[in-house]
Amino acid sequence: MSRRLPALWSLPCCAIIFAACSKPDTEAADTTTAAAPAAVPASPAPLSLSQVAGRWNVRNIPETGDTTPTPFVLNATADTTGWTFTFPGRQPIPMRVAAVAGDSIVTVAGPFESARRKGVRVRTRAVMRLEGDRLVGITVARYVTTGPDSVLRLRMEATRAP
C-alpha cells in the first residue's frame, strides 16, 4: 500500500499542473476597434493647356553642384503646337508637348546647344504643373556626350511675364 500512496498523490498534482498550463475554453473578446481608413485626398482638377497659355519667365535651378539659375522665356499655347522657349540673346527653341495628364504637362526639346555648357548639345524633358499663379516642376537635361555628368536635374520655377 505504501507504493500506491505516492502514485495517488501524484495524480492531483499532475491535474493541477495540466489545468494551469492548458488554454482557457473562452478567449477574451477583442475590445479594440479597427481604425477607420484614412480619407483619400481628392485628385487635383485636370490641367488644361489654356490655363498655362502665354509667356512665362522661367528659372531652371540645378538641384546639385553649380546652382546658378538658367533663365529663359517659355511661350505656351492653348494647344500642343507652337510651344517654344528662348534663352537671352538666342533664337527660340521649339518644344513638343508630349503629354497632358492630370495636373501635369510633360514637354521635350532638343537636341539644341546648351545654355549652361557652351558647344554641348542637350535634350530636355520637363514635367510641370500649375500651382496658384506659378508653374513649377523638374527638368532633366541629357547632354549629348560620352563623358561623365551627362545628366543634370533642375528645379523649374516660372511666373507669368507681364
Side-chain angles (χ1 to χ4, degrees):
M1 210 165 202
S2 62
R3 284 188 174 184
R4 291 185 143 209
L5 188 59
L8 290 176
W9 283 100
S10 65
L11 282 175
C13 290
C14 288
I16 292 170
I17 293 171
F18 180 73
C21 294
S22 68
K23 195 173 186 179
D25 289 342
T26 58
E27 292 186 23
D30 184 6
T31 58
T32 61
T33 56
V40 176
S43 297
L47 183 63
S48 164
L49 292 178
S50 62
Q51 291 174 273
V52 298
R55 290 173 46 94
W56 294 84
N57 292 322
V58 181
R59 291 173 15 121
N60 257 350
I61 304 161
E63 290 183 335
T64 60
D66 176 9
T67 57
T68 305
T70 304
F72 62 89
V73 174
L74 168 67
N75 288 300
T77 65
D79 60 27
T80 59
T81 62
W83 283 54
T84 64
F85 64 98
T86 308
F87 294 114
R90 301 212 2 219
Q91 294 295 313
I93 298 166
M95 59 192 319
R96 181 174 62 87
V97 175
V100 179
D103 68 342
S104 301
I105 300 169
V106 179
T107 62
V108 293
F112 56 90
E113 185 176 346
S114 170
R116 295 187 69 85
R117 298 182 184 178
K118 189 162 181 71
V120 178
R121 299 189 59 74
V122 65
R123 289 183 173 90
T124 62
R125 179 178 184 86
V127 178
M128 60 190 92
R129 68 183 182 282
L130 191 59
E131 280 188 359
D133 59 349
R134 300 179 320 133
L135 272 178
V136 297
I138 297 292
T139 301
V140 176
R142 296 188 182 277
Y143 294 93
V144 183
T145 180
T146 57
D149 300 327
S150 63
V151 177
L152 179 63
R153 210 174 131 89
L154 305 108
R155 190 177 70 248
M156 186 182 100
E157 301 171 355
T159 56
R160 286 199 186 267

